[in-house]
Amino acid sequence: ELVIDSGSGDATWLVIGGGAGGAKDANDGSARAAGGGGAGAYRVSSGGTVLELEAGQTYTVTVGSGGAGGTGTTGTNVNGSNGNDSSIAEASITTITSSGGGGAGGHNDSNNNAGSANGNASGGGGSSEAAGGSGGTYGNSGGAGATGGAGIKSGGGGGGSSAAGASGSGGSGANGGNGTASDIIESGTDVTYAGGGAGNGTSSNGSGGSGGGGDASNSGVTGGAGDTNTGSGGGATRLANGGAGGSGLVVIRYQFQ
C-alpha cells in the first residue's frame, strides 16, 4: 500500500503485468517445437492520466508474478501459463490494470497448441504449425509456429510491448517481440521492459526480445526465464520445462508540494 498522510502532488506511473511462461515440446520421438511467452501489458501515464495524490488516500499496489513454463507431457500442461495482473487501485480512481502476458503454445505427443491471448497484454507464440495469441490494447500478438517438412519445425516468439513476436521459419525458432524503454525511475536513463520470449526450432533457437525476454534453449535444457521486474516472457525448449515469465513492475513517481 501507498498511504498519503499529508501534502499533495501529481504522480506519473508505470504498470507492467507479469510475463507469461514459455512452452515445452514434449514429443520424445520426432522433434516438434514450442512458442515463447508473451510480455505483460505495458501501461504508462501520459497527458491527463497522471495520479492526483491527496492526503488521506490509500493506494493498493499489486505486482503480478510471472507465469510458469510448460511442463509434463500431455494435454495443455506443455503450454506456458499466463502471467498475473499488476494494478494500482484507490477508491477515487478507475483501477489501472495491466494484464499478465499470454501463455505460449507447446506440443504434447499428438497436438500443436496455439499461443494464448490474455486481457490487454501481449500474446504467446504458437507451437509448430499453430497460431500465436492475439495482442491486447497494451501489447502485441505472438508469432505463429512453422514447418518445413518432416522433422523441420519451429515455434513462434511471444509478443513484446513494442513489437509482435516473429513467426517461425522452417527449423529456425523465432525471436520474441521487443520491449519498450522508459526513464521513469531515473530521468535520462532508459531501461527497457516487457520483451517477448523466444520460440525454439529443430535447427536453431530464437532469442528473447529486448527488455528481458527469455531465450529458447536446446533440448533437455530449461527455457530461459524472463527477467525479474520487467514483465518479460519466458523462452521455449524441448524435453525440459519452459522458461518462467518475469515478474511485473509498478512504479509511482511523485514530488509532494
Side-chain angles (χ1 to χ4, degrees):
E1 291 185 341
L2 171 63
V3 179
I4 311 303
D5 291 323
S6 62
S8 63
D10 291 341
T12 54
W13 50 267
L14 172 65
V15 181
I16 306 172
K24 173 183 180 178
D25 169 23
N27 191 316
D28 58 3
S30 178
R32 300 297 193 273
Y42 178 99
R43 299 187 63 181
V44 62
S45 56
S46 60
T49 63
V50 296
L51 293 175
E52 298 178 356
L53 305 181
E54 300 286 349
Q57 292 177 325
T58 299
Y59 286 83
T60 300
V61 174
T62 302
V63 177
S65 57
T71 62
T73 59
T74 60
T76 58
N77 291 335
V78 295
N79 296 343
S81 298
N82 293 343
N84 293 287
D85 298 353
S86 296
S87 62
I88 301 172
E90 201 276 330
S92 65
I93 69 168
T94 300
T95 299
I96 300 165
T97 301
S98 289
S99 303
H107 181 88
N108 54 37
D109 281 339
S110 55
N111 296 312
N112 294 310
N113 294 327
S116 296
N118 192 43
N120 58 19
S122 292
S127 176
S128 46
E129 304 175 68
S134 298
T137 304
Y138 303 104
N140 289 283
S141 297
T147 180
I152 305 173
K153 312 290 182 181
S154 54
S161 57
S162 70
S167 292
S169 177
S172 300
N175 295 338
N178 286 334
T180 305
S182 171
D183 68 350
I184 192 170
I185 293 178
E186 181 179 355
S187 295
T189 302
D190 282 341
V191 177
T192 304
Y193 304 96
N200 71 332
T202 54
S203 59
S204 64
N205 296 320
S207 297
S210 64
D215 295 336
S217 297
N218 293 329
S219 181
V221 179
T222 299
D227 286 356
T228 301
N229 292 135
T230 66
S232 296
T237 193
R238 178 171 183 259
L239 303 181
N241 292 341
S247 53
L249 179 70
V250 176
V251 177
I252 300 175
R253 180 174 177 174
Y254 58 93
Q255 180 175 354
F256 283 121
Q257 301 172 353

